[in-house]
Amino acid sequence: MGETILEMQHIAKAFSGVYALKDAQLTLQKGRVMALVGENGAGKSTLMRILTGIYDHDGGTILYKGQPVHFKNAMQARDAGIAIIHQEFNLFPNLTVAENIFLGDKSVQSHGLVDWQAMNRRAQELVDSIGGTFSVEEKVQELSVQNQQVVEIVKALAANAEVLIMDEPTSALPESEVQHLFRTIRGLKARGVAIVYVSHRLNEIFEICDDITVLRDGVTAFLSEVGATTQQEVVAQMIGKEVTVLYPKQDAEIGGVVFEARHLSDGDTVKDLSFCVHKGEILGLYGLVGSGATECPEALFGLVRGAHGTFLMDGREISLHSPAQAVANRIAYVPPDRHRQGIIRQLSIRFNLTLAVVRRLCTRSVIRRKDEQATVDDYIRKLRVKCAGDSQKVTFLSGGNQQKVVIAKWLATNPALLILNDPTRGVDVGAKAEIYSLISELACAGMAIVITSSEISEILGMSDRILVLNEGVVSREFLRGQADQKSLLSAALMRPDETQGGV
Amino acid sequence: MKQHKSRLSRIFSAREMPIIVFTLLVYGAFSVMAPNFNTFNNVSVIAQQITINGIVALGMTIVIMIGGMDLSVGSLLSLCGVFAGMMDNAGLPVALTVLLTLVIGTALGALNGLLIVKLHIPDIIVTLATMNIFRGVAVMVTRSQWITDFSDAFLHIGSSKGGLFSIPILLYVAVAVVFAVCLRWLPFGRLLYAVGGNREAAVLMGLNVPSVKIRVYAVNGFLLGLAGLLFASMFGSIQAATAATSLQFQTMGSALIGGANIFGGAGSVLGTVFGTILLGMIKNGLVQIHASEYWLDFITGAVILLALLVNLIQLRKKGRC
Ligand SMILES: Nc1ncnc2c1ncn2[C@@H]1O[C@H](COP(=O)(O)OP(=O)(O)OP(=O)(O)O)[C@@H](O)[C@H]1O
Ligand SMILES: [Mg+2]
């Protein structure tokens, strides 16, 4: 056992009368990684924000190196050696990567002025060290979501922290990139850094963490060494019941072609993609970063300027130059970056949920309140959105619950083609199972569905058919049951010209 | 060699490049149309004419950069100018007049910031109110009379003696250089970009955003004090009700033409300076080519639109919007 560096005891916190934390406990040891898990809304992020001085706590004590502490803001915590990677990105899009990493850091200043050369050099070293392949002189707004995640991680590393909190650091990273992070974490462990690792991906937790703390409804419900427990037990402790089937995929009757794309290209990553989706079919797209797997859905939904190709919906040619055209052709799209594309944070759950269907809920331009309410209630229940009520602003929901609102918003449109671009990012295991079973039901009812995911198991578990993408073209096709983790990954790594004749 | 090339290409891909090129083109066009436009004499006249707007536009740039907006600049300038004139009339030594005017400007600027931060009222509303209040106070204390008959020492501040090296031009250049250096190399300068780029992230980082805001408005007020002094001294007289009445729009125009983002997070000293030069040149040039007075506003507006379009093309090319 290492030396205890931080203890949080009996932490309580309420937001305008509603408890987020009741009696939370967390003990960190030098050189060990503590997993912090729990359902969406269990209070994980809140606990971490209290630790770093962003929120004040109503009760309980924090001991850091044996002394009671009470940080007033994140800067103070950082100066004391506690750094945090927030669940939601907190980057300055208009500044360069290097500036984001070192903003306000005295170590890159000389005589009170910013030393750009030193700053760029050190930032580039850090980015390189965890496998980033971009220049630190680029502006953050020009980076992909994955690379932005890398910047968030590097930002925390730059603080030379003794306690490092990672609140879902990998939710925007595909599994193939996670190993870079793990290598970094192992390096930090060896240097004696204590790490908190918040994640909904139990595989990762069992790979990288030493201890585990389970939060349930704001109370620390379970403590163990990772080696002494199992995934099943952890899930059961998280949600109070066992989840046996993670991917409740039913066999749907697969009908004729609903949607077809021919020679889709976005002028960049996606080169020449042709595929079709059938009635009742769930089509999985899988590929590494830059393969076009996440870019293809964006192009389909009309989000990419200059994308072109021929598209057929029910045999009729349609054009998809803008989201409005896509929606008019009954295509729905759940985006991976909820903050930029998915929700209007300052508005209520109800408003966000019905935003895409508001016209259907109107009679002569007046919203039928009753129908609106029914729709909203229905989805909040179906997806188990944890909230204080449907008038709560989305910005006050936990990360996973915000994602549920985005999914519900598009499910409500009852589309012919549903495109899910990494839909369960940051959603807990139990809710994931619910969402999958809902998606599966929709497929059974005849909806055509395209899904991408950063998790291989999600693709394997849900798809009737999988297209593996590589360098912007389809490199291989698998039918359900034909592929496993390994064959999928190796197909994704292979160059397209090596796989001639595959299936 | 490679280093050299990349530096050159960096210069040409700079944000400010389109507006600089555009300004030069307009300059060329006027030179062809008006024989007296491209003369040393006229250039120093233009330079003299733009100093006040130029200084105020720099303040406007940092206000816009943090996502703010100041409608009260003209009124505050008028108030400072009037106070300066009255203090001079009262026989105060000129150094003291200058000092007090700057203090008043800074204090009232900070007041704008304080109201915005403490009352949580949007910038545009607070400054809409203070725009009327500052102007009202200026009119009240002067009873709407012209303030004039300044001392020689006072008049010396704004005199055009020295051509391109006159005091107003030197002051403008000094302010611009200080701003450019601060925004690029001073940690506080970088914070302004941060606050405007993502306020929430700035708060989460532990930055004291309200204090940043107050300080920015104070600096803006300081510049308005300076501009008020120059105004009274340059023209030799000032009337509270009529001085600098559309200054907020002119300076906003300069800043936006120069690449400032109305939603915050972007702005550049070089860009704003060229934005000011462009607008000043057009005004001067139109007079030189004897354009009808009726055309002045229209052409100015059209050029602003054109300049913004030129900026947009550059951003599009980089795929930013
Ligand atoms: N600023 C806030 N105002 C009001 N309620 C809040 C606020 N922040 C969090 N909450 C509430 O506190 C509870 C716990 O939220 P928290 O973000 O800590 O959950 P979490 O465990 O991190 O969940 P997730 O896995 O979805 O990220 C939620 O019910 C959330 O709605
Ligand atoms: Mg969270």
Side-chain angles (χ1 to χ4, degrees):
Chain A
M1 271 276 154
E3 183 189 332
T4 298
I5 183 164
L6 183 111
E7 268 180 276
M8 299 181 82
Q9 295 160 340
H10 309 298
I11 304 293
K13 170 77 186 172
F15 291 104
S16 45
V18 182
Y19 270 103
L21 292 171
K22 282 183 210 131
D23 182 8
Q25 217 136 308
L26 187 73
T27 308
L28 301 182
Q29 258 125 24
K30 282 190 175 173
R32 287 179 79 86
V33 184
M34 170 65 82
L36 180 60
V37 298
E39 277 190 295
N40 293 133
K44 305 178 294 291
S45 300
T46 306
L47 188 64
M48 294 303 96
R49 283 166 164 237
I50 286 172
L51 176 54
T52 47
I54 293 163
Y55 292 157
D56 226 347
H57 48 291
D58 304 334
T61 47
I62 304 174
L63 295 176
Y64 180 53
K65 297 179 179 168
Q67 301 294 320
V69 289
H70 195 144
F71 301 116
K72 286 207 190 64
N73 58 47
M75 207 97 98
Q76 274 190 5
R78 198 177 159 108
D79 288 342
I82 304 180
I84 180 166
I85 301 168
H86 287 287
Q87 180 173 8
E88 316 297 349
F89 289 166
N90 279 291
L91 297 171
F92 301 103
N94 55 333
L95 299 183
T96 67
V97 172
E99 287 204 86
N100 268 281
I101 295 171
F102 285 112
L103 192 74
D105 193 323
K106 296 232 163 44
S107 71
V108 294
Q109 295 167 10
S110 64
H111 310 296
L113 298 179
V114 177
D115 182 347
W116 285 83
Q117 254 179 356
M119 182 170 80
N120 286 339
R121 186 167 31 77
R122 281 184 50 199
Q124 194 69 58
E125 281 167 14
L126 283 167
V127 168
D128 294 347
S129 77
I130 78 159
T133 52
F134 48 89
S135 158
V136 297
E137 292 180 51
E138 264 187 84
K139 288 198 176 161
V140 162
Q141 64 198 3
E142 280 152 26
L143 297 183
S144 68
V145 176
Q146 282 110 357
N147 285 340
Q148 293 189 9
Q149 180 82 69
V150 173
V151 177
E152 280 286 3
I153 294 167
V154 172
K155 213 168 84 178
L157 294 180
N160 273 326
E162 291 174 76
V163 173
L164 183 54
I165 299 157
M166 303 184 166
D167 195 349
E168 302 197 28
T170 55
S171 64
L173 289 184
E175 272 163 312
S176 44
E177 319 280 308
V178 170
Q179 287 306 325
H180 279 303
L181 175 65
F182 282 3
R183 215 168 306 137
T184 310
I185 291 181
R186 292 195 186 98
L188 291 170
K189 269 178 68 168
R191 285 196 349 227
V193 176
I195 295 168
V196 183
Y197 193 87
V198 182
S199 179
H200 291 293
R201 294 183 183 174
L202 292 176
N203 294 340
E204 291 180 3
I205 284 173
F206 278 77
E207 183 176 346
I208 195 71
C209 299
D210 302 298
D211 308 293
I212 188 160
T213 297
V214 177
L215 266 186
R216 188 159 86 214
D217 286 333
V219 180
T220 297
F222 179 70
L223 286 167
S224 169
E225 277 192 41
V226 166
T229 181
T230 62
Q231 297 210 9
Q232 281 83 350
E233 187 180 17
V234 170
V235 171
Q237 290 291 350
M238 266 168 65
I239 56 184
K241 67 167 197 222
E242 303 230 357
V243 173
T244 41
V245 197
L246 241 188
Y247 302 103
K249 167 93 176 83
Q250 297 157 264
D251 280 329
E253 193 183 320
I254 297 185
V257 174
V258 172
F259 176 82
E260 185 174 353
R262 290 185 194 150
H263 309 297
L264 169 67
S265 144
D266 68 356
D268 186 21
T269 338
V270 181
K271 302 276 161 50
D272 182 12
L273 263 187
S274 298
F275 64 89
C276 54
V277 201
H278 299 82
K279 198 167 157 65
E281 182 182 45
I282 301 182
L283 176 68
L285 298 181
Y286 183 76
L288 305 180
V289 176
S291 66
T294 52
E295 291 84 355
C296 161
E298 292 182 353
L300 284 183
F301 198 59
L303 289 169
V304 184
R305 195 191 291 258
H308 53 88
T310 311
F311 310 106
L312 301 170
M313 180 68 98
D314 293 324
R316 201 170 43 83
E317 190 165 336
I318 56 172
S319 50
L320 296 175
H321 294 303
S322 69
Q325 281 180 344
V327 171
N329 285 297
R330 301 193 51 216
I331 298 177
Y333 174 74
V334 175
D337 182 349
R338 57 176 167 264
H339 278 172
R340 270 198 312 205
Q341 304 171 327
I343 44 176
I344 303 173
R345 300 179 71 188
Q346 289 307 324
L347 294 174
S348 68
I349 297 173
R350 184 185 325 135
F351 187 95
N352 272 285
L353 248 175
T354 53
L355 195 55
V357 291
V358 80
R359 235 179 269 153
R360 225 183 42 221
L361 292 173
C362 287
T363 316
R364 279 185 235 103
S365 304
V366 178
I367 297 180
R368 299 187 303 275
R369 284 281 163 209
K370 233 202 225 144
D371 288 358
E372 185 192 25
Q373 196 61 48
T375 310
V376 171
D377 289 345
D378 193 32
Y379 280 102
I380 288 184
R381 190 173 38 77
K382 266 193 198 151
L383 296 181
R384 299 202 302 167
V385 179
K386 190 184 171 199
C387 58
D390 59 20
S391 57
Q392 193 174 5
K393 279 186 187 172
V394 169
T395 186
F396 295 135
L397 290 182
S398 80
N401 283 303
Q402 294 185 5
Q403 186 64 16
K404 292 183 200 170
V405 172
V406 179
I407 296 175
K409 164 177 151 190
W410 287 108
L411 290 187
T413 60
N414 188 27
L417 174 66
L418 174 63
I419 304 173
L420 300 158
N421 202 353
D422 209 356
T424 57
R425 181 182 285 181
V427 174
D428 72 54
V429 189
K432 253 184 199 170
E434 313 263 337
I435 291 172
Y436 293 141
S437 101
L438 200 68
I439 291 173
S440 175
E441 267 170 43
L442 291 169
C444 284
M447 197 181 285
I449 294 169
V450 174
I451 182 168
T452 76
S453 176
S454 45
E455 286 178 77
I456 297 185
S457 54
E458 186 166 308
I459 292 283
L460 286 171
M462 289 307 294
S463 314
D464 291 301
R465 195 154 56 95
I466 301 170
L467 298 180
V468 179
L469 271 60
N470 199 325
E471 299 187 5
V473 300
V474 176
S475 70
R476 228 173 136 186
E477 181 173 341
F478 293 98
L479 291 180
R480 181 167 185 80
Q482 279 180 344
D484 59 16
Q485 201 114 355
K486 235 177 160 175
S487 57
L488 209 57
L489 248 182
S490 67
L493 285 166
M494 231 177 295
R495 294 180 44 91
D497 44 21
E498 294 168 37
T499 55
Q500 293 298 323
V503 186
Chain B
M1 192 64 208
K2 197 172 164 242
Q3 175 88 31
H4 187 66
K5 196 180 162 197
S6 79
R7 189 169 290 172
L8 253 186
S9 78
R10 203 183 285 179
I11 290 175
F12 281 108
S13 66
R15 272 191 78 113
E16 295 87 358
M17 213 53 214
I19 175 67
I20 293 175
V21 171
F22 188 73
T23 308
L24 293 177
L25 286 178
V26 173
Y27 185 88
F30 277 127
S31 303
V32 173
M33 287 187 285
N36 287 332
F37 186 80
N38 185 18
T39 59
F40 180 80
N41 201 14
N42 191 48
V43 168
S44 53
V45 167
I46 296 178
Q48 192 83 16
Q49 282 170 346
I50 64 168
T51 50
I52 291 174
N53 278 20
I55 288 171
V56 178
L58 287 172
M60 188 62 94
T61 303
I62 56 171
V63 169
I64 289 180
M65 196 148 77
I66 59 164
M69 165 66 46
D70 189 354
L71 296 179
S72 71
V73 288
S75 304
L76 186 48
L77 180 147
S78 167
L79 185 60
C80 290
V82 161
F83 274 149
M86 287 167 66
M87 283 188 277
D88 186 64
N89 283 348
L92 256 60
V94 87
L96 193 59
T97 304
V98 169
L99 185 73
L100 286 176
T101 312
L102 294 179
V103 168
I104 291 169
T106 310
L108 293 179
L111 178 70
N112 267 337
L114 260 171
L115 290 174
I116 292 163
V117 167
K118 295 289 173 215
L119 304 181
H120 300 285
I121 302 176
D123 308 48
I124 194 164
I125 298 177
V126 166
T127 56
L128 181 68
T130 52
M131 171 178 94
N132 289 304
I133 294 171
F134 292 155
R135 181 77 64 181
V137 171
V139 171
M140 247 157 27
V141 294
T142 59
R143 300 220 181 78
S144 213
Q145 296 294 306
W146 283 91
I147 310 289
T148 185
D149 286 332
F150 300 137
S151 67
D152 285 346
F154 187 82
L155 288 172
H156 183 69
I157 301 173
S159 87
S160 58
K161 247 191 285 162
L164 281 178
F165 297 97
S166 68
I167 294 178
I169 294 174
L170 290 180
L171 279 174
Y172 178 34
V173 172
V175 170
V177 169
V178 168
F179 261 57
V181 169
C182 287
L183 286 181
R184 174 75 183 162
W185 282 286
L186 206 66
F188 182 74
R190 302 315 296 171
L191 288 189
L192 302 190
Y193 286 98
V195 168
N198 186 348
R199 196 193 147 88
E200 209 171 321
V203 173
L204 274 182
M205 228 183 93
L207 290 182
N208 191 342
V209 175
S211 128
V212 169
K213 200 151 212 187
I214 294 171
R215 278 186 274 174
V216 164
Y217 274 95
V219 170
N220 186 43
F222 174 87
L223 294 182
L224 290 167
L226 185 62
L229 275 167
L230 285 178
F231 190 101
S233 165
M234 259 172 155
F235 296 109
S237 62
I238 182 168
Q239 189 194 29
T242 54
T245 41
S246 63
L247 190 67
Q248 66 272 48
F249 302 116
Q250 293 165 16
T251 51
M252 240 183 267
S254 303
L256 296 179
I257 289 173
N261 182 339
I262 195 78
F263 301 112
S268 116
V269 171
L270 191 62
T272 300
V273 168
F274 270 88
T276 312
I277 293 176
L278 179 65
L279 290 185
M281 235 166 55
I282 292 170
K283 212 170 173 184
N284 175 288
L286 287 179
V287 174
Q288 299 260 348
I289 62 171
H290 308 294
S292 147
E293 216 179 296
Y294 308 118
W295 280 90
L296 226 119
D297 286 341
F298 176 81
I299 293 178
T300 310
V303 171
I304 291 181
L305 207 58
L306 210 58
L308 290 176
L309 279 178
V310 171
N311 274 332
L312 206 63
I313 289 165
Q314 159 132 352
L315 290 181
R316 281 268 163 83
K317 225 172 47 204
K318 288 192 174 172
R320 283 202 206 132
C321 58

